[in-house]
Amino acid sequence: MSGDAHHDHAHAEHHDHSKFYIKVWAALFVLFLISVFGTLTPWFFVTIIVGFGIALVKAYLVVRYFMHVDIEKPVVHYALIAGLALMVLFFAAVSPDVLNHEGSRWVNVAARAEMERREAAHAAGEGGHHEAAPAAGHEAPAAEAGH
Amino acid sequence: MSHPEHAHADHGHAAHGDHHHEMSFSEKYLFPTDHKYIAKQYMLTGMIMAVAAGFFAYAFRMQLAFPGMSVPFFGVVSPTEYNSLVTQHGSIMVFWVAMPVLIAAFGNFLIPLMIGADDMVFPRLNRLSYQLFLLSAILVVVGWFVPGGGFGGAWTSYPPLSAKAEYSLTPAGSSIWLAAVAVEFAAFLLGGINFVVTAMNARAPGMKWHDVPIVVWFICIASILFMASVGPLIAGAIMLLFDQQLGTHFFDPVAGGDPILWQHLFWFFGHPEVYVVLLPAIGICAEIIPVFARKKLFGYRAILYTGIATGVLSFFVWAHHQFVAGIDPRMANVFTITTVLISIPIAEMVFLYIATLYGGSIKFSVPMLWALSFIFCFLIGGVTGIFLGASGADIYLHDTYFVVAHFHYTFYPIAIIGTFAGVTHWFPKLFGRYMDEKLGQIHFWGTVLSFNLIFIPLFFTGLAGDHRRIYNYNNFAELGTPDLQWLRILATVALVIMLIFQVLFVYNFINSIFKGKLAPTNPWKATTLEWTTPSAQPGHGNWTPETMPSVYRGPYEYSAPGRDDDFHPQNVP
């Protein structure tokens, strides 16, 4: 009898677990839909928030619940935090060089020309911006030669 | 951390029933899972690669000393071959000599023995790690024989030179080299996980964190540094492979890509990598010095914490390799400060080693000579590094032979002197026999004196402005400095002498394996646990269930008061 009770208990617990994970999955699915349709809105800041913000929330849910970090030992948390910290460090130190197209004694001519060309294409084709992308590769050398 | 358990607890049934059964040839040498044999495999592979890399150094140094001559055993060195030789020498010495010998071989051999475990906690993962490493070594060797020859874009592999076949002139070699490096990293990730998990979970009963020998600590810290830093480089290597093979432009400035990004990705790994190989070597010295000074290691915790501090700081210094690459000058200031900061823990560590020697009863056996010469040579490397770490001085010194001399004064003590120190110290445990002491002394003096004769002249040619990536100085009116040629010749002759002395080591090593004097279990009267196992055990496992050690004290109890013999082993109550 007690064996049966134990079995039932375990079964119920298992059922609860599955329910919980299905809930997390449903939340991920809803977030996914928002991230797909959110990018179709015409407002720039909304697409940014949708693109990065929802991705962060989804990553958090997956890491915490599906990768079982919530029930892991502290050392796993430390390793994760150290990895994130190193990523922030790397990005912070590299961005002044790599995200800029000019510094006090240098200019990345090709990159700047490419950005200017894209901005011009974007401004010229408001609404029809899909055509701008394929032409990019062909015109870049010409812009380079212009400098 | 809860109380440590034995590694053998889980696989006890499988391993202990036949604890001392003789292993078959394939179990022992082809597909071993025993950490001792995997360690020997790593060591042997690393040594074979070192012979190749040493030969490459000989060939290109001969070209620099005697431009255009037909180098004996090689022939005339062409410009493309020169680039390949330099590249392969550098990358092999770092990735296929220092890494496998210092971390993988000594890590595999020492960690289970020193913490009182029968094996690594993941023996099959360990075997896979070596097999992947062997694959990477075979790949890099194959790269020498493909059309165009071995990769010639320097071990740092800077694009756009490395990204385009028409610049590097080694279309297939460069991609094979990248693949070999990537496979090798996978091998060391597996090994590193194994080291850390073993040290965390398989320590002998009673062995608390501060009873773990320094070398075990340092190999684990090095593994963590490697694991934390290698990600960006693997990502970068794949991007570079795409640039080479699929026509992408991640690092191609003509199409708006950014070559500086590669330098960041590479050095974010590359600088911690210096400490990845340094820490095991300096840890080996920490084991040797107390044994041959018969004195307790001075400041165990201080040494440990300086090691950890060095590891943490090593993540904040990488851009000092890029001061003249066009990085933001404000970042150059920051990285100058962090670079100079890292000399504090390292200097403290050196002082602690010297303090260990003070008042000791020093015996100049061969392992001790190597350990002391490590400190001497590494000190020169460290002090000259301060000039290069300061961005102002680096503007002049960058890419000169001063840099070459500096990093050889750090890397040679690490990869070569550290290895010789470790091999000569643990040889009785590795093979159950002594190495010949007299041959060892001759080899030591011949190697260390000629090493200094190679690189001291290069400090001076570098200060005089000798650029380091030149095939033939006579090709450039403004670089051809005939008055410095005698220094280049001196360095080359010293290199040849040093290489000849290595024949002595190879002879001593092989001869001693078979004919050396039989060594007892604890030949140096040392305190750590590896000296409690029978030397050169025949079967899998290190102790029988009855002799598994328990630990009662720290690892460096020499000149212990109140004892007849002057040492107090960790396992003796």
Side-chain angles (χ1 to χ4, degrees):
Chain A
M1 288 292 279
S2 68
D4 277 358
H6 181 75
H7 178 81
D8 284 351
H9 181 71
H11 186 77
E13 206 167 68
H14 179 75
H15 196 68
D16 276 358
H17 267 290
S18 321
K19 252 182 161 174
F20 177 71
Y21 287 118
I22 288 169
K23 271 186 196 162
V24 176
W25 173 80
L28 285 169
F29 188 75
V30 170
L31 286 168
F32 160 73
L33 289 180
I34 297 173
S35 67
V36 169
F37 293 108
T39 50
L40 300 178
T41 59
W43 305 291
F44 180 68
F45 71 95
V46 174
T47 57
I48 290 290
I49 290 169
V50 164
F52 288 99
I54 293 192
L56 279 177
V57 175
K58 276 159 67 185
Y60 175 78
L61 289 175
V62 170
V63 170
R64 172 152 189 185
Y65 297 113
F66 286 173
M67 295 167 81
H68 299 306
V69 169
D70 55 338
I71 51 169
E72 275 293 356
K73 287 187 220 164
V75 66
V76 176
H77 295 208
Y78 302 151
L80 263 176
I81 292 166
L84 280 174
L86 285 176
M87 195 183 76
V88 171
L89 165 74
F90 183 74
F91 189 82
V94 170
S95 55
D97 301 327
V98 175
L99 295 188
N100 278 344
H101 294 146
E102 56 193 292
S104 58
R105 289 191 185 78
W106 57 274
V107 180
N108 187 339
V109 178
R112 204 163 65 171
E114 176 68 13
M115 292 300 291
E116 281 167 5
R117 200 197 52 71
R118 282 191 192 180
E119 274 163 25
H122 191 73
E126 282 290 2
H129 55 275
H130 287 293
E131 296 123 50
H138 300 289
E139 285 174 28
E144 168 71 7
H147 284 268
Chain B
M1 191 91 268
S2 62
H3 199 69
E5 289 169 26
H6 279 305
H8 73 289
D10 287 341
H11 58 91
H13 304 294
H16 284 153
D18 49 358
H19 196 87
H20 277 304
H21 97 112
E22 256 329 296
M23 290 189 286
S24 68
F25 180 82
S26 104
E27 261 183 297
K28 218 170 175 177
Y29 298 109
L30 294 181
F31 305 104
T33 48
D34 186 316
H35 70 101
K36 300 184 289 294
Y37 289 97
I38 294 174
K40 286 175 193 172
Q41 286 183 324
Y42 266 118
M43 192 174 281
L44 190 68
T45 316
M47 283 177 172
I48 291 170
M49 296 302 276
V51 171
F55 178 73
F56 294 162
Y58 154 79
F60 70 72
R61 277 306 316 175
M62 289 297 274
Q63 159 64 24
L64 285 171
F66 312 105
M69 84 172 282
S70 178
V71 178
F73 310 112
F74 188 88
V76 177
V77 179
S78 73
T80 319
E81 280 171 345
Y82 179 85
N83 283 343
S84 286
L85 289 169
V86 175
T87 303
Q88 301 293 329
H89 168 76
S91 47
I92 287 173
M93 281 297 188
V94 177
F95 294 132
W96 283 278
V97 178
M99 295 276 289
V101 175
L102 285 169
I103 297 203
F106 284 116
N108 266 309
F109 188 71
L110 294 177
I111 289 176
L113 283 173
M114 285 186 140
I115 65 172
D118 258 343
D119 203 332
M120 289 286 179
V121 292
F122 305 127
R124 290 184 189 85
L125 201 66
N126 211 9
R127 177 174 64 191
L128 179 65
S129 163
Y130 174 73
Q131 287 166 343
L132 277 179
F133 170 73
L134 184 65
L135 175 70
S136 77
I138 292 169
L139 262 179
V140 79
V141 172
V142 165
W144 305 339
F145 301 104
V146 294
F151 175 51
W155 86 280
T156 52
S157 193
Y158 279 6
L161 179 65
S162 61
K164 290 200 164 190
E166 56 261 44
Y167 301 154
S168 71
L169 304 177
T170 51
S174 47
S175 295
I176 292 176
W177 182 87
L178 265 180
V181 170
V183 173
E184 205 239 16
F185 289 165
F188 284 116
L189 280 174
L190 296 179
I193 289 166
N194 219 343
F195 294 159
V196 175
V197 176
T198 304
M200 282 176 75
N201 296 302
R203 300 194 307 283
M207 183 177 264
K208 297 187 286 295
W209 279 118
H210 288 112
D211 298 331
V212 176
I214 286 287
V215 70
V216 174
W217 264 111
F218 279 10
I219 289 173
C220 289
I221 295 171
S223 301
I224 293 169
L225 291 187
F226 181 80
M227 286 189 265
S229 64
V230 80
L233 183 57
I234 291 181
I238 290 168
M239 286 152 80
L240 188 55
L241 203 60
F242 281 5
D243 272 15
Q244 287 174 353
Q245 297 295 337
L246 303 180
T248 56
H249 301 285
F250 288 114
F251 305 120
D252 184 2
V254 172
D258 198 331
I260 305 281
L261 176 61
W262 166 266
Q263 299 186 13
H264 280 299
L265 290 165
F266 181 86
W267 287 115
F268 187 77
F269 160 80
H271 202 85
E273 167 71 11
V274 174
Y275 296 92
V276 167
V277 289
L278 164 68
L279 286 174
I282 211 164
I284 286 170
C285 295
E287 300 305 316
I288 293 172
I289 289 170
V291 175
F292 292 95
R294 307 312 294 171
K295 194 160 162 262
K296 188 172 179 168
L297 189 67
F298 188 92
Y300 171 94
R301 290 191 188 208
I303 288 180
L304 175 59
Y305 299 152
T306 54
I308 295 171
T310 309
V312 172
L313 274 175
S314 74
F315 280 104
F316 295 84
V317 299
W318 79 87
H320 66 217
H321 297 272
Q322 301 161 244
F323 284 151
V324 298
I327 63 167
D328 193 308
R330 290 163 300 179
M331 296 312 289
N333 294 342
V334 174
F335 280 101
T336 295
I337 293 167
T338 55
T339 303
V340 177
L341 268 183
I342 205 170
S343 57
I344 294 172
I346 289 288
E348 184 178 341
M349 210 182 288
V350 169
F351 280 127
L352 291 167
Y353 286 5
I354 294 170
T356 304
L357 293 168
Y358 181 75
S361 164
I362 298 170
K363 190 170 174 227
F364 290 105
S365 298
V366 175
M368 184 64 159
L369 288 173
W370 286 115
L372 294 178
S373 69
F374 175 93
I375 294 174
F376 170 78
C377 295
F378 190 78
L379 207 60
I380 297 177
V383 168
T384 51
I386 292 172
F387 296 95
L388 296 166
S391 56
D394 184 66
I395 290 170
Y396 176 75
L397 293 170
H398 187 87
D399 247 359
T400 65
Y401 266 91
F402 190 88
V403 179
V404 176
H406 154 71
F407 72 68
H408 279 90
Y409 259 104
T410 59
F411 209 79
Y412 188 95
I414 293 170
I416 309 297
I417 295 181
T419 298
F420 283 141
V423 168
T424 50
H425 183 62
W426 280 290
F427 193 89
K429 195 51 59 185
L430 278 159
F431 300 104
R433 291 170 188 273
Y434 286 106
M435 283 184 94
D436 188 289
E437 181 77 11
K438 190 147 277 172
L439 282 179
Q441 300 255 1
I442 297 169
H443 169 242
F444 166 79
W445 287 110
T447 304
V448 164
L449 292 179
S450 54
F451 157 68
N452 283 283
L453 262 184
I454 299 171
F455 290 105
I456 286 176
L458 298 187
F459 279 123
F460 291 98
T461 62
L463 281 170
D466 249 9
H467 192 278
R468 64 188 268 210
R469 298 186 201 278
I470 301 295
Y471 162 67
N472 182 352
Y473 288 96
N474 301 331
N475 293 348
F476 303 90
E478 72 280 16
L479 292 177
T481 39
D483 49 325
L484 294 178
Q485 192 60 25
W486 73 276
L487 287 172
R488 296 181 195 128
I489 293 173
L490 174 63
T492 304
V493 171
L495 170 73
V496 174
I497 292 170
M498 192 191 81
L499 290 175
I500 290 171
F501 269 101
Q502 302 321 303
V503 177
L504 208 61
F505 173 79
V506 173
Y507 168 77
N508 191 4
F509 186 79
I510 295 173
N511 191 51
S512 302
I513 290 177
F514 299 106
K515 293 184 183 162
K517 205 174 90 185
L518 281 173
T521 300
N522 189 358
W524 312 125
K525 298 196 184 337
T527 53
T528 39
L529 294 180
E530 80 271 28
W531 303 105
T532 64
T533 65
S535 294
Q537 305 90 320
H540 196 157
N542 299 321
W543 288 273
T544 59
E546 301 80 47
T547 59
M548 286 301 287
S550 293
V551 169
Y552 300 94
R553 65 187 58 73
Y556 305 108
E557 295 298 328
Y558 295 96
S559 302
R563 281 184 65 85
D564 296 336
D565 39 5
D566 74 335
F567 67 111
H568 204 167
Q570 278 192 288
N571 64 320
V572 174

